[in-house]
Amino acid sequence: MLTVDFSRFPLAPGDRVLDLGCGAGRHAFECYRRGAQVVALDQNGEEIREVAKWFAAMKEAGEAPEGATATAMEGDALALPFPDESFDVVIISEVMEHIPDDKGVLAEMVRVLKPGGRIAITVPRYGPEKVCWALSDAYHEVEGGHIRIYKADELLAKIREAGLKPYGTHHAHALHSPYWWLKCAFGVDNDKALPVKAYHKLLVWDIMKKPLATRVAEQALNPLIGKSFVAYATKPHLPRVDAK
């Protein structure tokens, strides 16, 4: 299940990609399949080890084209272990709402992104997230949980302040919002509640089968209750200074 829409966020074979806070690696895997040179970075060592295993399995199965590379590594988003202007593309999906110093993370991403490079940022959308917070304290009052809810204009302002130029936005995963509302209403750790189990079964079926009816429904509902807000931006080239 991808949050970034690669039809709006073009990726070329050979692009050097950083998936920052990669989690289970869903975007990193897609970039690898598209022929990129991928670095998946997360502070969670257990998840990174799993991502590394999947990269190896993908290579063995021939899922990645020739020339594609993939590396999984532990790291700190506020102190990235890469030189300036190392990447053509940076993806950070559902991460910034967890980090107190979100401006510091943006600054690090801009530092390692090449001029002309592209960045995709996704965060929980304000409206659906407010409902979750209202229904359940346990949803967000956990170690490493969500510490803020972004309004779209607030996130875009921070992106601009970091020196990036936004070029597009959209919402995603409308069908997932009711699932999380149910989880919050019945208890975020209560997976046995019948409505939660039933809706989870529907989501799994939808992800596996991708039926036209639910695809159309989600596209129609995304502007209204899409769970995620997605923003795309570029890093401008510095103005050329002519030698005197």
Side-chain angles (χ1 to χ4, degrees):
M1 185 188 72
L2 299 174
T3 308
V4 172
D5 181 352
F6 286 93
S7 69
R8 309 183 197 213
F9 189 65
L11 192 68
D15 275 352
R16 185 162 166 77
V17 177
L18 173 63
D19 185 2
L20 181 55
C22 64
R26 57 201 173 103
H27 289 107
F29 299 148
E30 181 64 20
C31 293
Y32 190 31
R33 290 188 187 98
R34 291 171 177 260
Q37 297 176 4
V38 184
V39 176
L41 184 144
D42 201 285
Q43 67 176 2
N44 187 318
E46 184 176 340
E47 286 198 307
I48 283 298
R49 286 187 287 275
E50 283 299 309
V51 170
K53 290 178 183 177
W54 278 105
F55 279 152
M58 291 172 66
K59 182 177 181 180
E60 185 175 345
E63 290 188 35
E66 187 176 351
T69 62
T71 302
M73 62 185 296
E74 289 185 60
D76 182 354
L78 289 164
L80 295 174
F82 310 111
D84 296 356
E85 302 179 5
S86 299
F87 294 94
D88 303 289
V89 173
V90 176
I91 296 170
I92 184 166
S93 183
E94 311 300 301
V95 173
M96 287 179 57
E97 67 275 10
H98 296 271
I99 301 176
D101 186 8
D102 57 347
K103 290 186 178 181
V105 173
L106 275 167
E108 272 293 87
M109 290 191 290
V110 171
R111 180 184 68 78
V112 301
L113 187 64
K114 296 177 182 178
R118 303 172 304 286
I119 190 166
I121 299 172
T122 90
V123 297
R125 184 184 186 176
Y126 183 82
E129 186 77 347
K130 285 284 285 187
V131 173
C132 289
W133 283 45
L135 289 171
S136 171
D137 289 337
Y139 171 79
H140 62 96
E141 290 182 357
V142 295
E143 184 178 354
H146 299 184
I147 62 170
R148 71 174 65 82
I149 307 176
Y150 286 102
K151 292 184 177 180
D153 55 358
E154 174 196 357
L155 180 60
L156 290 171
K158 289 186 176 183
I159 290 171
R160 292 187 182 97
E161 288 170 10
L164 297 166
K165 183 177 180 180
Y167 70 83
T169 65
H170 64 90
H171 300 99
H173 309 319
L175 295 182
H176 288 249
S177 289
Y179 172 71
W180 282 102
W181 297 339
L182 288 169
K183 287 268 288 181
C184 290
F186 286 92
V188 290
D189 296 320
N190 180 13
D191 293 327
K192 295 182 179 180
L194 183 59
V196 175
K197 287 175 65 177
Y199 203 97
H200 183 263
K201 187 175 181 179
L202 169 67
L203 290 179
V204 172
W205 172 78
D206 177 56
I207 291 170
M208 298 301 294
K209 300 296 185 180
K210 298 181 175 63
L212 178 61
T214 55
R215 296 300 88 215
V216 171
E218 184 156 78
Q219 287 298 317
L221 290 170
N222 274 338
L224 302 173
I225 60 169
K227 184 74 171 67
S228 294
F229 174 71
V230 188
Y232 305 108
T234 58
K235 179 178 177 178
H237 289 274
L238 292 174
R240 183 172 179 175
V241 178
D242 295 326
K244 294 184 179 179

